[in-house]
Amino acid sequence: MAIIVTFDLPGAGQELYDAVIARVTDGRGFARFADVGDPGLVSHAAGPVDGGFRVTEVWESAEALEAHAKTFGPILADLGHADLQPTIIPAYNVVVR
């Protein structure tokens, strides 16, 4: 079952997001899904919110997210955000272009 994952980064800005993306993609940047190499990622959006930054993703399954977390988690921990707990809900409907 697809899931919707929201990461809220209070007090963080685009700098943290860019640092994470640079590490996840070995400096290539993230302009297409192939850049992250995780086949279970369906959509990704990120932007500023009051007091921080938010990333919202859709994953094909919780297992796909867990596989990605093995790469993503240590990077966040190294950047001082080991305690980040995303909000995860089941997706009822996902429409992509």
Side-chain angles (χ1 to χ4, degrees):
M1 170 195 310
I3 58 171
I4 301 166
V5 182
T6 303
F7 297 92
D8 282 312
L9 303 156
Q14 184 176 334
E15 299 80 21
L16 174 63
Y17 175 81
D18 289 342
V20 172
I21 292 299
R23 291 194 189 188
V24 168
T25 66
D26 293 325
R28 294 183 311 273
F30 184 22
R32 56 180 197 217
F33 289 115
D35 293 334
V36 294
D38 289 316
L41 182 62
V42 175
S43 70
H44 173 95
V49 294
D50 285 341
F53 208 75
R54 178 175 291 154
V55 177
T56 301
E57 299 177 326
V58 175
W59 287 84
E60 289 180 352
S61 66
E63 294 78 18
L65 173 63
E66 288 169 13
H68 173 67
K70 291 177 183 175
T71 299
F72 180 77
I75 291 169
L76 277 175
D78 189 48
L79 293 171
H81 291 272
D83 59 347
L84 180 66
Q85 294 296 316
T87 300
I88 301 171
I89 61 170
Y92 173 72
N93 188 21
V94 177
V95 178
V96 295
R97 182 177 282 201

